[in-house]
Amino acid sequence: MHIYFTIFFFVFGTIIGSFLNVVLYRFNTGKTLMGRSRCFSCRRNLSPIDLVPVLSYISFGGKCRTCKSRISIQYPLVELATGILFAGSYMLFSPVLEASPTMFLIQFVYTLIIMSLLVLITVYDMRHKIIPDMFVFTFIGLSFSTLFLGFDSFGNILFRIPDLLQLASGFILAFPFYFLWLISDGRWMGFGDAKLAVGFGWFLGLSSGATAIVLGFWIGAAVSLLLLGMGYLSKQYAHKKVLGMKVPHLSLKSEVPFAPFLIAGLLIVFFFRYNLFESFAYLI
Ligand SMILES: [Zn+2]
């Protein structure tokens, strides 16, 4: 039964991912979310067969069926990622389902909304190097609201008053980002990253939120070094052929979106319950 539900939520996630693609392409363009999707090149209205998540892209070779123009890899990747995140969320909370269906439903639906927001923030930041306020404030608001919610031993929902540290955790985690943003005049860190960190503190709590941010910096550093190394190599071998292929010239863009790395850190902490401070607690 368990495996069927996991597959079901994966498929459901790819469908939501397909909707998130529509949001990503139409956000801030003045277009509504209603109306049919069209091919960007030939303007043909897409039919259901073109819109099956992941599978349409694979079976038509990543091209429009009519005009054969290339379709962005973003479509299947967003669908696939959302599917994996939804299936993973189900697996994470399925033990709660047996204990209390109400508690499961609330936590699971809440997590699915958070995951969808994180997909939107990641892709939007990668494409436009900015995090829209609407996405990040919804994330912050949802994270904040959970500070006031708890469950009793029967799984009934309770109102609770968070302690001072829980209330402050969002601001504590955001402060280093705010500081970097302030002293560099927004060159090292965007203000959007500071806002995102507020949500991290409230969504994960102080020590897990801090773990997510530290992991985010490590992943960001590793990827930047890799890109620098590739940039160096591509300069050395520019215009030469390696294995019959021309080496493209790569260079590190001055502005690397940072939200995707932070969110990667958050997902590791959330799904694998990893906490840096607990792992090293025996040292103290
Ligand atoms: Zn077309």
Side-chain angles (χ1 to χ4, degrees), residues 181-283:
W181 171 76
L182 205 65
I183 59 167
S184 73
D185 220 5
R187 272 173 293 124
W188 299 341
M189 204 52 78
F191 193 55
D193 298 312
K195 285 185 254 179
L196 189 63
V198 175
F200 273 45
W202 288 333
F203 180 62
L204 295 172
L206 190 59
S207 75
S208 297
T211 302
I213 288 169
V214 171
L215 289 180
F217 269 98
W218 287 349
I219 298 166
V223 171
S224 302
L225 281 176
L226 199 74
L227 287 175
L228 274 176
M230 278 163 61
Y232 174 76
L233 283 179
S234 73
K235 215 173 181 178
Q236 296 293 308
Y237 291 97
H239 312 302
K240 287 177 193 148
K241 281 188 174 181
V242 176
L243 300 172
M245 283 191 301
K246 229 177 177 180
V247 178
H249 181 71
L250 296 165
S251 64
L252 188 65
K253 290 197 196 99
S254 56
E255 226 184 333
V256 178
F258 200 61
F261 302 127
L262 289 175
I263 289 171
L266 179 143
L267 295 177
I268 293 170
V269 170
F270 183 72
F271 284 106
F272 301 103
R273 296 278 180 247
Y274 178 67
N275 189 313
L276 203 61
F277 303 94
E278 277 165 23
S279 331
F280 292 109
Y282 65 92
L283 290 175

Side-chain angles (χ1 to χ4, degrees), residues 38 45 65-66 101 141 196 235 253:
R38 290 167 171 210
N45 276 329
R65 278 193 298 137
T66 325
L196 189 63
K235 215 173 181 178
K253 290 197 196 99

Side-chain angles (χ1 to χ4, degrees), residues 39 42 64 67 69:
C39 168
C42 67
C64 169
C67 69
S69 64

Side-chain angles (χ1 to χ4, degrees), residues 26 28 33 36 40 48 59 91 101 109-110 114 122 137 149 167 186 199 204 213 259:
R26 298 190 187 176
N28 250 341
L33 295 177
R36 300 194 42 190
F40 282 119
S59 46
M91 285 163 75
V109 171
Y110 167 79
I114 294 279
T122 304
F137 281 130
L149 295 179
L167 283 172
L204 295 172
I213 288 169

Side-chain angles (χ1 to χ4, degrees), residues 7-85:
I7 294 168
F8 172 81
F9 284 114
F10 172 77
V11 174
F12 176 63
T14 61
I15 295 165
I16 297 295
S18 180
F19 170 72
L20 296 180
N21 273 320
V22 176
V23 175
L24 284 163
Y25 273 102
R26 298 190 187 176
F27 187 80
N28 250 341
T29 57
K31 287 187 197 133
T32 65
L33 295 177
M34 297 298 146
R36 300 194 42 190
S37 293
R38 290 167 171 210
C39 168
F40 282 119
S41 298
C42 67
R43 313 300 298 157
R44 173 177 66 90
N45 276 329
L46 299 180
S47 52
I49 195 173
D50 301 299
L51 297 168
V52 184
V54 189
L55 295 180
S56 290
Y57 185 89
I58 296 172
S59 46
F60 303 127
K63 289 178 183 140
C64 169
R65 278 193 298 137
T66 325
C67 69
K68 304 287 173 207
S69 64
R70 280 229 149 266
I71 298 166
S72 165
I73 186 91
Q74 182 199 307
Y75 285 97
L77 287 182
V78 166
E79 289 159 356
L80 202 62
T82 315
I84 293 169
L85 291 173

